[in-house]
Amino acid sequence: MNLKAVRGMHDLFGPELVAWKKVESRIHSILSAFGFDEIRTPVLEHVEVFKQSVGDDSEIVEKQMYEVLERGPTADGKAAEKLVLRPEGTAAFARAVLEHGLHRTGHIGRYYYSLPMFRHERPQKGRLRQFHQVGAEIINSTAPETDAELLVLIDHLFREIGIQEFTLRINSLGTAAARAQFAEALKKFMAPHLSSIDEVVRAKLQRAPLRILDTKDPSLLEIVRNAPTIGEFLEPQSRQHFETICSRLTALGVPFVIDPLIVRGLDYYSETAFEVTSNALGSQSALGAGGRYDGLAERFGASPIPGIGWAIGLERVMLVLGTQLATEAHGPLAFLAPIGPAAFELLLSKSLEMKKSGLRTEISYERDKGLKWHLKQADRLNAQWAILVGDSELSSGLAQAKNLRTGDQQTVPIDKIQDFLHQEFQKT
Ligand code: HAM
């Protein structure tokens, strides 16, 4: 019997989970301040949601989707339907927008989600099969200021949660017509190199030529660095849109680089595309990514709804933030050390009152241990204070409060322990 978690899927608990929740809660308040409303879509979607939008030729649809077979044949006798575990949030979001008419308000809609995603990829550092994305999406606006707003937001968000070292890379993918022209130019450019590239890349060049730019293979990178760029094929309107974004970002002091190799692996993108990368991550360097998807609703057979968004990978964010957060994650703790049964009864009820008042306290249910044993437990739990009560403290009404960081000890009236700890914890 295999009792291990499924490969590429992790249990989260202890200080790591506390650190996660702290970061998530900071992100939620930033998104809320920027006017985003939360949306939660189901884990399972119909397979078409992703086939029609992310695209049949994308790696996600081609080989990374987890499929779930709906039980038994349908009522009308058709074969059981295939459902998929959501591999990304944007297509599911667009499905929900259409289903509930969220675009019909006539004004800009801002939504965010914080949800697990599933992709059957080869697990490695920063790449999982169940991972968590926070995504932000804006609908009903084609204005380049919307693109700039989302880029300001992602830059601000990373800095606010403590990530300083990252690069925002942006590009324009133009219109479908511009991409088609660029694809032809790319194929022509690659023709003399066909013998030196492998079969997989050659196939990609035929089916989805732009995706060869997304390579991590150093020898192919060397070749494509000299390839024509999409910038040469942009129509005036796309060029203008992109230039406005760049000048807004410059005016707002948001650092960015223009990277013509950003093409994105999902079919729904047009115009603006971007990635945020960090050197701290190794080969899976993208902390977050996104772009415009004005044509996505049409892929679902609906009228156009302009949209743009990004998603950040929480596992990668936590990797960059490291363990520093994990150790700071818990609030301060007081360890209550009763020496003897009478002190135990007293501190046990005090401990519950203190917890109800919001103080983190711990008490051991071992009732016949000595002072040394209690102090060892307090140390193991990384407590800031130990409150010691034995028979002599009971008769004097004064507990010993030991600051375990400084070693200082003072007496505190037993009925004032709760107030004392509240005051001390406020200082930390
Ligand atoms: P994506 O580039 O596929 O875009 O994923 C966005 C982010 O999710 C990545 O930059 C990375 O941080 C994280 N990520 C992706 N795959 C994994 C994985 N296997 N393990 C850990 N983290 C991962 C999208 O998903 C688009 N829906 C983004 C978007 C929103 N575009 C417009 N709106």
Side-chain angles (χ1 to χ4, degrees):
M1 184 176 178
N2 187 348
L3 283 177
K4 284 198 167 147
V6 174
R7 191 162 123 84
M9 306 195 181
H10 288 175
D11 298 312
L12 260 180
F13 55 92
E16 197 187 352
L17 179 59
V18 179
W20 264 69
K21 284 167 75 170
K22 220 170 165 179
V23 171
E24 276 183 293
S25 126
R26 186 74 199 106
I27 294 177
H28 288 226
S29 30
I30 294 169
L31 285 164
S32 158
F34 272 69
F36 286 76
D37 282 337
E38 188 174 1
I39 181 164
R40 297 185 186 182
T41 60
V43 172
L44 289 174
E45 293 279 352
H46 299 291
V47 68
E48 293 76 26
V49 170
F50 303 103
K51 272 176 160 267
Q52 297 296 327
S53 58
V54 176
D56 272 332
D57 288 332
S58 66
E59 297 228 314
I60 293 180
V61 170
E62 211 174 36
K63 46 189 183 209
Q64 296 174 350
M65 288 201 300
Y66 279 90
E67 295 181 348
V68 175
L69 212 52
E70 183 67 288
R71 262 172 200 280
T74 59
D76 50 2
K78 290 198 190 118
E81 193 197 352
K82 239 190 250 165
L83 303 173
V84 291
L85 295 183
R86 174 188 52 214
E88 64 98 47
T90 310
F93 165 70
R95 193 266 312 137
V97 166
L98 287 168
E99 184 167 344
H100 306 290
L102 300 179
H103 56 298
R104 294 216 193 90
T105 57
H107 49 76
I108 297 182
R110 292 179 175 81
Y111 293 90
Y112 81 92
Y113 46 84
S114 181
L115 296 168
M117 307 288 158
F118 303 84
R119 294 185 195 173
H120 196 269
E121 298 196 74
R122 202 163 39 79
Q124 62 177 83
K125 184 183 162 202
R127 189 164 70 192
L128 291 111
R129 291 183 172 174
Q130 175 177 328
F131 58 100
H132 298 76
Q133 281 186 347
V134 174
E137 315 280 0
I138 302 186
I139 50 167
N140 280 353
S141 171
T142 52
E145 284 70 25
T146 322
D147 310 41
E149 175 190 320
L150 270 172
L151 294 170
V152 168
L153 172 59
I154 201 169
D155 175 85
H156 170 70
L157 192 147
F158 280 135
R159 287 176 206 286
E160 275 293 298
I161 59 174
I163 297 181
Q164 300 300 337
E165 188 280 313
F166 61 86
T167 308
L168 171 60
R169 303 168 184 280
I170 64 174
N171 191 22
S172 175
L173 301 177
T175 59
R179 286 194 295 284
Q181 275 186 19
F182 174 50
E184 282 315 308
L186 200 56
K187 280 191 200 164
K188 245 188 225 150
F189 168 84
M190 288 302 291
H193 300 284
L194 288 183
S195 55
S196 63
I197 59 177
D198 72 33
E199 212 173 297
V200 180
V201 181
R202 247 178 288 161
K204 221 185 223 181
L205 192 60
Q206 287 316 310
R207 285 172 39 211
L210 272 62
R211 298 236 166 93
I212 67 159
L213 301 177
D214 214 5
T215 182
K216 294 213 164 74
D217 169 4
S219 58
L220 183 57
L221 252 181
E222 208 44 54
I223 300 173
V224 299
R225 262 191 229 291
N226 299 314
T229 63
I230 181 91
E232 299 159 37
F233 300 87
L234 291 184
E235 289 158 42
Q237 239 180 323
S238 302
R239 197 180 299 277
Q240 171 84 57
H241 186 92
F242 190 59
E243 280 168 7
T244 308
I245 298 168
C246 294
S247 58
R248 293 250 180 242
L249 290 180
T250 307
L252 292 162
V254 174
F256 67 94
V257 295
I258 296 175
D259 183 346
L261 294 184
I262 301 272
V263 284
R264 310 286 296 126
L266 303 94
D267 278 358
Y268 52 62
Y269 290 116
S270 60
E271 306 291 346
T272 320
F274 51 89
E275 280 182 16
V276 177
T277 55
S278 162
N279 289 333
L281 278 172
S283 69
Q284 299 305 311
S285 64
L287 275 173
R292 214 167 237 294
Y293 47 86
D294 295 345
L296 174 50
E298 283 164 286
R299 287 174 176 268
F300 288 153
S303 311
I305 305 169
I308 176 165
W310 50 245
I312 62 181
L314 279 175
E315 280 77 4
R316 295 186 189 175
V317 163
M318 297 313 289
L319 266 179
V320 173
L321 288 177
T323 49
Q324 137 223 344
L325 261 173
T327 49
E328 293 167 1
H330 286 300
L333 173 75
F335 190 82
L336 308 184
I339 322 293
F344 176 79
E345 290 304 325
L346 178 87
L347 286 188
L348 179 64
S349 61
K350 282 217 173 292
S351 150
L352 293 172
E353 276 168 34
M354 288 190 222
K355 285 180 204 284
K356 286 188 198 163
S357 79
L359 284 174
R360 281 187 71 227
T361 60
E362 272 284 336
I363 186 168
S364 166
Y365 294 144
E366 302 275 350
R367 52 194 80 188
D368 53 0
K369 298 288 183 189
L371 178 63
K372 231 170 141 186
W373 184 89
H374 280 290
L375 287 177
K376 218 168 166 183
Q377 297 303 309
D379 192 46
R380 201 176 54 80
L381 291 168
N382 201 16
Q384 264 86 341
W385 285 90
I387 304 295
L388 318 170
V389 178
D391 289 340
S392 63
E393 284 77 17
L394 279 180
S395 57
S396 69
L398 294 172
Q400 301 292 327
K402 189 176 169 77
N403 183 329
L404 298 169
R405 296 282 179 271
T406 62
D408 294 342
Q409 194 160 315
Q410 55 188 291
T411 52
V412 177
I414 289 178
D415 57 358
K416 293 274 183 293
I417 297 173
Q418 186 166 317
D419 296 342
F420 170 79
L421 287 173
H422 270 296
Q423 266 169 22
E424 288 301 321
F425 282 7
Q426 237 154 37
K427 294 184 197 160
T428 55

